Amino acid sequence: MSVLHIVNKSPYERNSFDTCLRLAKADSAILLIEDGIYAVQKNSATSSKMEQALGNHPVYALQPDLQARGVNPDNMIDGISLVDYDGFVKLTTEYDRLQSWL
Amino acid sequence: MKFAILVNEGPYTHQASDSAYNFTAAVLRAGHEIVRVFFYHDGVYNGTRLSVPPQDDRNVSDRWAALAQQHEVELILCVAAAQRRGLLDDDEAKRAGKDSSNMAEGFQISGLGQLIDAGIQADRLIVFGD
Amino acid sequence: MASKKFLYINRRAPHGSIYAHESLEVVLIGAAFEQAVTLAFIDDGVYQLMQNQDTGGIGVKNFAPTFRALGDYDVNQIYVEQESLELRGLSKDDLIPLTYEDEDDDWAEKDSIHVVSSAELADIIEQQDVILNF
């Protein structure tokens, strides 16, 4: 009975990433899409929050959304996995329910 | 696996409809089934027949309709949200005494019950919004 | 098909956008489908339940009174996140007192709203089958 939490907003624009972290149980997974991918950035104000999250959750980011925004995967915090849309679909089959933190 | 997709935003202004489209295409590629795609809030604007985007950009409504036709996917606009926002098919336009309709081919107008039903029928329901 | 557990998550304030109003419309339609319905109010969503909303001066429909009908539709599992309330300087006393009549307890009138911790709400989320966000 595990949840895939999907966050689509930048952690600087909205509190959705924070709310997700507050309400995601350990071992549920987090997928960053759309503007949500900005949370992957090393050495940013949200890096330590993300590093802590990685201790409790597998974290994924949608690669086409990084690429669209010019975010270099080399600047991603270690431990975040990139997926494409096919990988996105696969994740949704591996987790039982889907929660979109808009 | 059966998927239900909820799209809460209109074309262009937010990425939601594009993300939903790309996800839906990937679901079909993987051989899964789409119960339906339900458009709510401003999502109903995806069903406009009158969009004229620049030539070098995607036509959001058209590509939803094309995907739907190719894979027999139901695209449902919520009737209440559509009425509010002036997205009408011929029947709704006639009923409301409006001088024209503007819904694109490939979309249908129906009630919120179709969203609940999709949640019941599907193995996974995913929401794309702002 | 066995009934599913539907959770409606509300995170936006009322009136500044239509999400709160239109999501309530989904809840009311959904209530007729004999599935288990739970509502969660988180972040600015807690503002939707504030008492004394009067939209006369801004000329938009006041849908807040409709919350009082939820009990009649068997929607009585309403969770409000404590942290969201406290951050906003609110308490349960600021919220519309929503109640329902428990048919399993001689129709006793009970509170529909439960203020819960983040941890409790995280558990509630994990127990659902279908989660809707607006």
Side-chain angles (χ1 to χ4, degrees), chain A residues 1-3 5 14-17 19 22-26 28 96-102, chain C residues 9 11-12 42-43 81 83-84 88 118-119 121-123 125-129 131 133-134:
Chain A
M1 300 282 261
S2 52
V3 181
H5 297 273
R14 228 176 262 187
N15 68 3
S16 306
F17 183 53
T19 300
R22 200 167 72 238
L23 293 171
K25 292 196 67 146
S28 58
D96 301 303
R97 62 267 299 133
L98 310 173
Q99 163 52 16
S100 292
W101 297 101
L102 304 173
Chain C
I9 292 187
R11 291 177 49 236
R12 317 228 210 206
I42 305 170
D43 295 330
E81 193 198 22
E83 180 167 323
S84 294
R88 291 161 178 77
S118 307
L121 195 51
D123 282 336
I125 290 171
E126 286 245 329
Q127 287 158 22
Q128 306 305 313
D129 296 312
I131 310 174
N133 283 259
F134 303 94

Side-chain angles (χ1 to χ4, degrees), chain B residues 9 40-41 84-85 122, chain C residues 1 4 12 19 22 25 133:
Chain B
E9 296 301 335
Y40 197 42
H41 302 309
R84 245 184 202 119
R85 292 163 177 79
Chain C
M1 193 174 276
K4 286 191 173 178
R12 317 228 210 206
Y19 302 105
E22 285 191 323
E25 290 187 351
N133 283 259

Side-chain angles (χ1 to χ4, degrees), chain A residues 87-101:
Chain A
F88 183 176
V89 170
K90 189 146 178 288
L91 278 174
T92 64
T93 65
E94 289 166 358
Y95 288 84
D96 301 303
R97 62 267 299 133
L98 310 173
Q99 163 52 16
S100 292
W101 297 101

Side-chain angles (χ1 to χ4, degrees), chain A residues 12 41-50:
Chain A
Y12 308 101
Q41 186 81 17
K42 272 195 275 210
N43 302 319
S44 70
T46 57
S47 297
S48 56
K49 209 178 293 188
M50 176 60 86

Side-chain angles (χ1 to χ4, degrees), chain B residues 55-118:
Chain B
Q55 296 280 21
D56 64 350
D57 199 354
R58 74 248 191 246
N59 187 318
V60 174
S61 314
D62 280 359
R63 73 179 184 182
W64 271 117
L67 189 75
Q69 189 187 41
Q70 195 186 351
H71 298 277
E72 292 179 8
V73 173
E74 258 182 48
L75 305 177
I76 306 288
L77 308 182
C78 167
V79 58
Q83 282 171 343
R84 245 184 202 119
R85 292 163 177 79
L87 225 304
L88 307 175
D89 63 10
D90 291 338
D91 286 341
E92 290 293 326
K94 208 171 292 170
R95 245 199 293 273
K98 296 293 183 183
D99 60 15
S100 66
S101 66
N102 56 0
M103 201 179 73
E105 280 279 337
F107 293 82
Q108 293 165 68
I109 291 194
S110 191
L112 277 168
Q114 293 287 293
L115 171 58
I116 306 300
D117 177 76

Side-chain angles (χ1 to χ4, degrees), chain A residues 12-80:
Chain A
Y12 308 101
E13 178 194 337
R14 228 176 262 187
N15 68 3
S16 306
F17 183 53
D18 282 342
T19 300
C20 169
L21 292 182
R22 200 167 72 238
L23 293 171
K25 292 196 67 146
D27 298 332
S28 58
I30 298 172
L31 169 66
L32 305 169
I33 69 170
E34 298 179 7
D35 291 345
I37 61 96
Y38 290 118
V40 307
Q41 186 81 17
K42 272 195 275 210
N43 302 319
S44 70
T46 57
S47 297
S48 56
K49 209 178 293 188
M50 176 60 86
E51 275 151 18
Q52 197 172 22
L54 281 159
N56 292 313
H57 312 276
V59 178
Y60 303 89
L62 192 57
Q63 189 273 340
D65 276 322
L66 261 90
Q67 190 174 350
R69 290 159 178 76
V71 173
N72 188 339
D74 292 341
N75 292 327
M76 277 197 335
I77 294 163
D78 285 335
I80 298 177

Side-chain angles (χ1 to χ4, degrees), chain B residues 20-76:
Chain B
Y21 172 83
N22 291 331
F23 181 82
T24 302
V27 166
L28 292 165
R29 238 178 357 252
H32 298 294
E33 196 188 312
I34 303 278
V35 174
R36 66 181 57 94
V37 182
F38 193 88
F39 296 88
Y40 197 42
H41 302 309
D42 281 358
V44 299
Y45 289 122
N46 285 286
T48 181
R49 200 178 64 242
L50 304 181
S51 170
V52 187
Q55 296 280 21
D56 64 350
D57 199 354
R58 74 248 191 246
N59 187 318
V60 174
S61 314
D62 280 359
R63 73 179 184 182
W64 271 117
L67 189 75
Q69 189 187 41
Q70 195 186 351
H71 298 277
E72 292 179 8
V73 173
E74 258 182 48
L75 305 177
I76 306 288

